[in-house]
Amino acid sequence: MKYNRTSVFHPVQIPFGLTIWSLWFAAMYGSHAVVCSIAPPDPNSGVLNWLNVSFGIATLLVVALLLWLGRRSWKLSRPPHELNERQVFVTKVASGIHFIAALSTVFVGLQLAFLPPCV
């Protein structure tokens, strides 16, 4: 049985969570370096500044997306279903990787959002 790449049963779904995480990671750290060189926030404002707030919002959005994708994949793999073994494998592994990527995003995002930037 052939699936298109957007199907939740296609094996490309397995690395999708880590791809989202790596894009978020590169965007956060890249933008952090650029903002700190161009227009750093006021150091007297501490951790509650526009840069940390924007990182916090972006992190929450990515975590929500990854958790939603993980939950969706997990629900598809649960009985009753008419899936073959390959489809169940893809959905369970993809779900686990989505959840791992969400956890990684939280840990890295906490450092970005709660430490003073541009120090």
Side-chain angles (χ1 to χ4, degrees):
M1 184 177 270
K2 226 175 179 184
Y3 300 103
N4 62 19
R5 289 188 186 114
T6 58
S7 170
V8 293
F9 304 116
H10 193 280
V12 79
Q13 296 296 322
I14 293 173
F16 192 53
L18 292 178
T19 303
I20 292 171
W21 175 83
S22 64
L23 291 172
W24 168 84
F25 186 84
M28 289 296 107
Y29 276 99
S31 63
H32 184 265
V34 170
V35 168
C36 286
S37 67
I38 294 175
D42 181 25
N44 296 328
S45 63
V47 295
L48 200 56
N49 56 57
W50 66 272
L51 186 57
N52 283 11
V53 170
S54 64
F55 285 156
I57 291 170
T59 298
L60 288 176
L61 291 174
V62 170
V63 168
L65 171 67
L66 289 167
L67 290 175
W68 178 77
L69 288 170
R71 184 174 183 271
R72 180 186 72 158
S73 295
W74 184 254
K75 283 178 67 174
L76 286 172
S77 69
R78 306 307 308 154
H81 56 68
E82 297 177 8
L83 305 177
N84 61 38
E85 292 168 357
R86 179 183 168 273
Q87 292 169 324
V88 172
F89 174 79
V90 167
T91 54
K92 284 185 178 183
V93 171
S95 175
I97 291 178
H98 291 320
F99 289 133
I100 289 169
L103 187 63
S104 300
T105 304
V106 168
F107 283 127
V108 175
L110 287 174
Q111 294 174 19
L112 282 172
F114 295 114
L115 291 175
C118 309
V119 177

